[in-house]
Amino acid sequence: AIELALTKNENAFADKRSKAEKRAETISERKRCGCRKSKCLKLYCECFFAGQLCNSRICGCLNCENFERSLALKDAIIKRQEDFKLEARRIEEKNAKKSNKLKSE
């Protein structure tokens, strides 16, 4: 049934909302953190995970370091970027090994 609908109309199941509407919806739906010991610098902090700064009016966090001029935040972001680069290298190496095995067969 889905294939039939798509053959008649390619945009039958496309999201019809504009980018601005989607962005506004995600901002309003985003949970705010209530971190107590992590200083909002771990990925289980909703704000840090989303790449957003904490908002003192909305968030209920304590000893927050996830604000604009925080040195701890800058260090955490650098560490996070390095971790992602290491993981990307591991994945590339794993994929290269797989492709070499397939080529040799």
Side-chain angles (χ1 to χ4, degrees):
I2 294 173
E3 292 174 4
L4 180 62
L6 287 173
T7 57
K8 292 180 181 179
N9 180 6
E10 293 177 5
N11 297 322
F13 297 100
D15 197 358
K16 309 250 186 310
R17 297 174 294 162
S18 70
K19 288 183 182 179
E21 289 172 335
K22 291 177 191 176
R23 190 177 309 116
E25 184 177 307
T26 56
I27 290 170
S28 65
E29 286 181 357
R30 187 175 64 219
K31 294 180 181 179
R32 291 316 216 153
C33 70
C35 300
R36 302 284 182 240
K37 295 181 181 180
S38 70
K39 298 182 182 181
C40 303
L41 297 175
K42 303 289 183 186
L43 286 177
Y44 48 79
C45 171
E46 289 89 356
C47 301
F48 187 78
F49 182 77
Q52 302 294 320
L53 299 175
C54 286
N55 184 335
S56 61
R57 287 181 251 150
I58 299 171
C59 294
C61 48
L62 296 175
N63 300 322
C64 181
E65 290 289 336
N66 188 6
F67 57 90
E68 191 170 356
R69 294 189 179 112
S70 170
L71 295 176
L73 175 62
K74 290 177 184 175
D75 292 341
I77 290 172
I78 290 169
K79 182 184 182 306
R80 184 177 173 193
Q81 289 172 343
E82 290 171 358
D83 290 345
F84 283 132
K85 287 177 186 176
L86 287 173
E87 185 63 25
R89 282 190 207 131
R90 286 185 198 131
I91 291 171
E92 287 176 6
E93 290 172 0
K94 183 179 175 183
N95 290 340
K97 287 179 184 179
K98 283 183 182 179
S99 65
N100 286 340
K101 286 182 182 178
L102 291 174
K103 289 178 183 178
S104 65
E105 291 178 356

